[in-house]
Amino acid sequence: MSAHGYEEERRSERRYVAGLYARLDAERARVKGRYRAALRAEGDSPMERDNEVRALGKQVQRLDVADNGLCFGRLDAASGEVSYIGRIGLFDEEKEFEELLLDWRAPAARAFYVATAANPEGMRRRRQFHTRGRQVVDFTDEVLGRPDGSEGGTDAALLAAVDAPRGDGMRDIVATIQAEQDEIIRLEHPGVTVIEGGPGTGKTVVALHRVAYLLYTQRRRMERQGVLVVGPNPAFLNHIAHVLPSLGETNVVFATTADLVPGLRARAQDTPETAELKGSLRMLDVLAAAIEDRRRLPEAPLTIALTDVTMRIDAATVEWAAQEARESGRPHNEARAVFTDIVTYVLTERAIARIGEGWLTRDDTEAWEQLRTDLVRELADSAEFSAALELCWPILTPETLLSQLYCSPERLRAAGADQALWRADGGAWTVSDVPLLDELVELLGRDKTADDSAERERKAEAEYAAGVLDTLISREDLMDDEDHLLAQDMLYGEDLAERFLERDTRELAERAAADRDWTYGHVVVDEAQELSELDWRVLMRRCPSRSFTIVGDLAQRRSAAGARSWATMLQPYVPGRWIYRALTVNYRTPAEIMAVAADVLAEFAPEVRPPDSVRSCGVAPWSRRVTAAELPAAIAEFVRDEAGREGTSVVIGPPGVPGTVPASETKGLEFDAVLVVDPQRILADGPRGAAELYVALTRATQRLGVVHESPLPRSLRGLTPVEPVLQR
């Protein structure tokens, strides 16, 4: 294309994209007008108005986020048809909804990501726009359907994106999705999809774009239940939190496994050995035994003094009641109702026989049942009876049971638990305790007494509301015309009660995050190789439909409780319903740095092939040996040097080195520059030290340096040594 022709094309594209923004502004003004009208609406029920306000609010959000990079490409079909590709779809309502902009998730947009010179998918040209604000700066064309490739460089947009300095968070790749990534994003598999890939392959961002795609294609189901995204640490979640909102999706809860029990905050880590114990399925037997240990047979009969008779609860009665309660299949706290019913039945039968001796027979049904009713009421009010129930079948909470188990060697022995679980402060929760506490919610169930109390309170509110309704009907002068309620408009007093109760106006994500029993439409699990067997049980409970996107790299597994194979973790829950896809291209780590990391990988996981890097950075990774006294100055020099550059940096080191962060806290993150401190000590820190070092070495997108006191590991001796002045 000549310079003159290019300039004419650019002006034409600028006019078209400007027209798209004008259409976007008009649509946004229209929706905002409807939103304001909905806020002022009268006549609709409060629930209908709330639903409309929320729906319109979400439309406004989607239109707002689309403003950034609204249109990023164009497809020219061999048939002559032209399609513009962008973040959302836009239509011309005056021309029978002619499509002006095609949503990137639409099936017709797929060719933008997968068409090649050899397989053009019916296209003859792909054009990628480079924009600044709302204006097209320039564009790159790729001619399809012929062997000589493109006029402007097939990967120009991709390489520009991966070479750009890193900001505070992960960016979406909606304009530069590659073919192998697009295939995974658009998978229609209804079960579990496992995406495995080495560092820099984009597996996290692919998983997030897959969520956006599913929300687009299955919006009704997915929006109603929301999506849960589970990551390894808060820093990682902050890093990725902007991606889905930038794609217009907000019904998403971001959490670590430690956040999955609302109201519980656990950040401390157990030792690797203890974490492995707690993450094992064997803990299910320990928890069941710990519950059983809290149920007691009385050593001597328990005395219950009633008005007309004194009764005793003996061991045989308790054993029978306990057996019936166990066989009910209910959780412990809910099974207490069965236990209580059996004990109550035995006591009342015996009491009636003694009280009615000589004058009352079972033939006198009415008198017998009246006496039983009186005795049941008296037992319910008896402090001695309540104490007996609490001794034999106590109401338990997950926190109380687990904390008392941990701090008691005797209880640990009784439950068949390893004494390594003992700790002085039983309630000093760690991350590994969270799945155990969640499991106990299932095993213990609700406190039925508390539930019954809540139900009684609700019924009392309804009865009060019914009384208010009667008053309003009889005293129309109490209301003005606007608020007047006619009797025929009300079906039940409970309907009126709802008008006086506070309505939950929180967004779906906020409500879901606060509700332990919430079930999600889809779950994304990142760094999934770190999750224990019990972590997976927690997540499977959160998604009964078993719709998961699982992202990980077994070679980067650090946790001793983590996955050694995907089949071991998944087959018990989704036999035959999970599929595996691998990403093989490294878009983040330059070839110079990946070569260093690959040598480390070959040492501890020789069977794993490292991903192929698509680019070079031109800067050789370097190393510098320092003394203990020189180390702080070397770290400070690196930080000072990088502060003068654009982009981000981090210093990764072994535990206890000031000014460094452990590799585990950088999992899933990326930085322009990385300094790794004393890799030999990282290797020596536990059985997964090699994986830690591999993670540390693969965080950099441009520059990698190593400073060390100890000799370098053999796998890193290919680094370029530098003298005391750090390379600039």
Side-chain angles (χ1 to χ4, degrees):
M1 185 184 298
S2 68
H4 176 72
Y6 171 83
E7 193 56 41
E8 283 293 315
E9 280 281 291
R10 185 168 68 162
R11 280 197 291 269
S12 173
E13 299 294 27
R14 281 181 171 175
R15 286 193 297 271
Y16 191 88
V17 172
L20 292 176
Y21 274 108
R23 182 75 194 88
L24 176 69
D25 291 340
E27 179 66 9
R28 184 159 43 205
R30 184 183 70 82
V31 175
K32 284 184 175 179
R34 289 182 58 199
Y35 179 77
R36 288 190 293 269
L39 288 174
R40 299 191 303 268
E42 298 177 2
D44 292 336
S45 72
M47 184 174 295
E48 289 173 334
R49 189 187 68 175
D50 286 351
N51 289 340
E52 185 177 10
V53 166
R54 284 185 179 179
L56 290 169
K58 291 184 184 302
Q59 287 187 45
V60 172
Q61 271 184 325
R62 289 196 183 96
L63 294 170
D64 283 342
V65 298
D67 205 293
N68 181 26
L70 173 64
C71 177
F72 50 78
R74 165 179 152 174
L75 273 176
D76 292 12
S79 63
E81 184 180 358
V82 173
S83 299
Y84 286 84
I85 315 297
R87 291 181 177 274
I88 63 172
L90 288 176
F91 303 88
D92 188 339
E93 297 177 4
E94 296 179 359
K95 296 183 178 180
E96 297 183 350
F97 287 90
E98 175 186 328
E99 197 158 50
L100 303 174
L101 184 65
L102 190 61
D103 192 298
W104 68 275
R105 293 163 288 196
R110 186 171 183 272
F112 185 78
Y113 300 109
V114 302
T116 64
N119 297 291
E121 303 282 330
M123 302 296 149
R124 66 177 182 83
R125 181 172 64 183
R126 171 170 46 223
R127 174 169 290 177
Q128 291 178 303
F129 297 134
H130 310 287
T131 59
R132 184 179 299 117
R134 290 185 161 206
Q135 189 172 48
V136 175
V137 177
D138 57 28
F139 59 81
T140 303
D141 278 350
E142 182 181 355
V143 177
L144 305 169
R146 65 186 198 189
D148 60 350
S150 69
E151 297 175 356
T154 301
D155 295 319
L158 171 65
L159 293 177
V162 297
D163 277 331
R166 265 51 195 168
D168 292 334
M170 180 178 283
R171 295 166 293 188
D172 68 62
I173 58 168
V174 64
T176 58
I177 293 169
Q178 300 302 292
E180 73 168 0
Q181 297 173 330
D182 185 79
E183 179 188 354
I184 296 171
I185 289 169
R186 296 175 191 270
L187 278 173
E188 297 295 340
H189 181 65
V192 174
T193 300
V194 176
I195 307 172
E196 183 161 28
T201 52
K203 53 188 179 292
T204 297
V205 75
V206 166
L208 296 176
H209 283 68
R210 175 163 167 74
V211 169
Y213 175 76
L214 291 173
L215 283 165
Y216 176 79
T217 56
Q218 304 174 31
R219 185 164 298 282
R220 184 180 297 274
R221 178 180 69 86
M222 299 281 281
E223 272 200 334
R224 187 173 63 252
Q225 294 179 273
V227 173
L228 173 64
V229 176
V230 178
N233 53 59
F236 173 82
L237 295 175
N238 289 336
H239 180 63
I240 69 171
H242 303 293
V243 175
L244 284 168
S246 76
L247 297 171
E249 307 301 349
T250 56
N251 286 347
V252 182
V253 173
F254 294 90
T256 68
T257 54
D259 302 321
L260 294 177
V261 176
L264 178 68
R265 182 170 179 80
R267 289 291 179 261
Q269 297 284 347
D270 284 302
T271 64
E273 295 76 18
T274 302
E276 186 173 13
L277 283 172
K278 291 182 179 181
S280 168
L281 290 178
R282 292 189 296 273
M283 284 298 295
L284 298 178
D285 294 332
V286 170
L287 296 179
I291 295 171
E292 187 61 39
D293 183 53
R294 302 302 293 270
R295 301 164 182 165
R296 291 278 187 269
L297 288 177
E299 295 178 0
L302 304 173
T303 301
I304 311 296
L306 301 176
T307 301
D308 298 319
V309 66
T310 296
M311 303 303 299
R312 287 178 176 79
I313 305 175
D314 55 33
T317 298
V318 172
E319 192 167 12
W320 175 37
Q323 186 62 28
E324 291 291 332
R326 291 188 195 97
E327 292 179 357
S328 72
R330 300 182 189 179
H332 170 86
N333 289 336
E334 296 173 21
R336 174 159 145 157
V338 177
F339 179 87
T340 303
D341 287 346
I342 297 295
V343 175
T344 300
Y345 170 78
V346 171
L347 290 184
T348 54
E349 282 292 303
R350 291 175 180 174
I352 292 171
R354 289 175 58 184
I355 295 170
E357 187 176 3
W359 65 270
L360 180 63
T361 68
R362 285 188 179 275
D363 293 336
D364 191 352
T365 306
E366 185 175 348
W368 190 285
E369 290 304 322
Q370 181 59 53
L371 184 53
R372 182 194 300 280
T373 300
D374 294 340
L375 288 168
V376 168
R377 185 179 298 114
E378 192 171 357
L379 284 172
D381 293 335
S382 168
E384 290 176 329
F385 186 62
S386 296
L389 293 177
E390 193 61 24
L391 173 68
C392 300
W393 196 283
I395 291 293
L396 299 171
T397 67
E399 293 82 1
T400 300
L401 178 74
L402 196 59
S403 64
Q404 292 179 352
L405 175 68
Y406 284 153
C407 64
S408 170
E410 294 78 14
R411 284 192 167 124
L412 286 170
R413 276 193 296 273
D418 195 306
Q419 288 294 321
L421 296 179
W422 180 89
R423 65 185 181 215
D425 184 355
W429 304 122
T430 67
V431 170
S432 302
D433 290 327
V434 175
L436 296 173
L437 290 166
D438 192 75
E439 194 71 43
L440 283 170
V441 174
E442 297 293 307
L443 294 174
L444 296 176
R446 308 299 182 190
D447 179 353
K448 192 173 187 306
T449 304
D451 288 348
D452 289 346
S453 176
E455 178 63 15
R456 285 195 297 271
E457 184 177 346
R458 189 193 67 79
K459 287 183 177 178
E461 289 174 347
E463 289 171 4
Y464 169 77
V468 173
L469 176 60
D470 292 339
T471 301
L472 292 175
I473 293 172
S474 62
R475 292 287 306 281
E476 296 183 1
D477 59 300
L478 292 179
M479 298 176 293
D480 57 30
D481 290 339
E482 182 178 351
D483 293 328
H484 186 66
L485 295 171
L486 295 178
Q488 58 264 35
D489 294 329
M490 305 302 297
L491 295 177
Y492 302 104
E494 293 181 33
D495 296 333
L496 182 59
E498 290 186 0
R499 298 177 67 93
F500 294 99
L501 295 176
E502 183 178 351
R503 191 175 299 279
D504 190 345
T505 58
R506 294 173 299 171
E507 292 297 325
L508 180 143
E510 188 179 358
R511 286 182 283 128
D515 185 354
R516 183 261 171 194
D517 295 323
W518 191 278
T519 57
Y520 294 88
H522 191 76
V523 176
V524 176
V525 188
D526 209 326
E527 299 295 343
Q529 73 278 353
E530 305 298 342
L531 271 61
S532 70
E533 292 174 313
L534 286 189
D535 286 327
W536 284 111
R537 285 177 63 86
V538 175
L539 292 178
M540 292 297 168
R541 282 194 284 269
R542 300 303 190 272
C543 188
S545 66
R546 304 292 194 261
S547 178
F548 280 75
T549 298
I550 293 171
V551 180
D553 180 9
L554 294 178
Q556 295 186 59
R557 179 180 64 84
R558 181 180 184 275
S559 171
R564 288 168 173 79
S565 81
W566 300 119
T568 300
M569 290 297 186
L570 298 176
Q571 200 64 17
Y573 305 105
V574 284
R577 285 193 57 216
W578 66 281
I579 59 173
Y580 175 89
R581 294 291 184 272
L583 291 169
T584 60
V585 180
N586 189 329
Y587 301 101
R588 177 182 70 212
T589 315
E592 297 90 339
I593 296 175
M594 198 61 220
V596 174
D599 289 340
V600 173
L601 182 66
E603 289 262 322
F604 77 95
E607 73 284 358
V608 179
R609 177 183 171 181
D612 299 319
S613 296
V614 299
R615 59 187 260 276
S616 298
C617 63
V619 179
W622 53 267
S623 67
R624 173 188 171 193
R625 189 163 189 177
V626 297
T627 65
E630 293 170 331
L631 181 59
I635 293 174
E637 189 174 358
F638 170 83
V639 172
R640 187 169 57 251
D641 185 58
E642 288 300 328
R645 301 176 187 263
E646 186 180 4
T648 60
S649 63
V650 69
V651 182
I652 302 174
V657 177
T660 71
V661 299
S664 58
E665 292 185 14
T666 66
K667 289 181 77 69
L669 307 183
E670 55 186 35
F671 305 88
D672 292 274
V674 173
L675 180 68
V676 178
V677 175
D678 225 340
Q680 186 61 52
R681 285 177 58 190
I682 295 176
L683 281 173
D685 183 30
R688 297 301 300 173
E692 287 276 90
L693 181 57
Y694 183 57
V695 169
L697 295 171
T698 53
R699 299 306 95 193
T701 65
Q702 302 291 342
R703 300 175 295 281
L704 173 66
V706 174
V707 294
H708 57 104
E709 295 177 53
S710 310
L712 280 176
R714 181 179 60 184
S715 56
L716 294 183
R717 290 174 188 169
L719 291 168
T720 302
V722 299
E723 294 304 317
V725 176
L726 289 180
Q727 178 171 317
R728 295 180 181 274

